[in-house]
């Protein structure tokens, strides 16, 4: 089991999650296949120790425990696992704190995926 970063993170890489991960298992994609691995961060499920830190730290509410990932983001579970097969194209995410979203921005991001928690 692991924590999963979903597409709610796309283009929102403020890296608050990476800042609190004790085992540096949150990665960014550095390869060329952005169609397969969009611009977001990824958890390496083989390295995640389920510490739970990243979920509450994410201002965009993009992180879920694997079993609690909403159905609408099911494909993102597979995508986080898929990174294990392409490890050479990933680097540990650098912590570069960014924009802190408003509640409106968070809900607009949810709506892009018809997600209503
Ligand atoms: S649950 Fe803990 S170990 Fe796993 S990705 Fe999140 S911060 Fe890292
Ligand atoms: S804190 Fe959330 S939105 Fe920011 S990079 Fe991590 S998973 Fe993505």
């Amino acid at each position: 089991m692991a924590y999963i970063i979903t597409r709610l993170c796309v283009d929102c890489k403020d890296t608050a999650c990476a800042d609190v991960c004790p085992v540096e298992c949150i990665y960014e994609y550095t390869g060329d296949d952005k169609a397969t691995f969009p611009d977001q961060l990824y958890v390496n499920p083989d390295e995640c120790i389920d510490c739970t830190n990243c979920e509450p730290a994410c201002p965009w509410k993009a992180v879920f425990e694997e079993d609690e990932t909403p159905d609408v983001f099911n494909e993102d579970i597979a995508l986080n696992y898929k990174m294990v097969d392409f490890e050479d194209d990933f680097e540990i995410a650098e912590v570069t704190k960014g924009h802190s979203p408003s509640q409106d921005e968070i809900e607009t991001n949810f709506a892009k995926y018809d997600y209503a928690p």
Side-chain angles (χ1 to χ4, degrees):
M1 213 56 66
Y3 276 67
I4 299 295
I5 297 179
T6 65
R7 62 196 62 195
L8 289 170
C9 172
V10 170
D11 297 328
C12 307
K13 293 194 307 182
D14 53 81
T15 68
C17 54
D19 195 28
V20 297
C21 180
V23 293
E24 296 188 319
C25 72
I26 296 178
Y27 290 80
E28 61 186 310
Y29 181 62
T30 56
D32 297 326
D33 186 3
K34 297 282 189 189
T36 301
F37 293 108
D39 193 23
Q40 63 167 74
L41 296 190
Y42 297 84
V43 173
N44 182 325
D46 288 352
E47 297 176 353
C48 174
I49 59 169
D50 290 329
C51 78
T52 77
N53 286 358
C54 53
E55 183 179 356
C58 175
W60 293 91
K61 305 187 189 312
V63 186
F64 299 88
E65 198 276 327
E66 183 175 338
D67 278 352
E68 291 172 8
T69 302
D71 288 349
V72 67
F73 303 125
N74 262 346
E75 286 176 23
D76 299 330
I77 297 175
L79 198 54
N80 280 241
Y81 275 88
K82 191 173 184 155
M83 72 147 292
V84 177
D85 298 331
F86 295 87
E87 274 179 336
D88 289 349
D89 290 332
F90 285 83
E91 287 180 2
I92 294 169
E94 234 180 88
V95 175
T96 52
K97 290 283 191 65
H99 175 63
S100 194
S102 66
Q103 190 60 33
D104 270 1
E105 287 174 299
I106 294 167
E107 286 172 11
T108 299
N109 199 32
F110 287 171
K112 281 198 305 201
Y113 306 104
D114 288 329
Y115 170 55

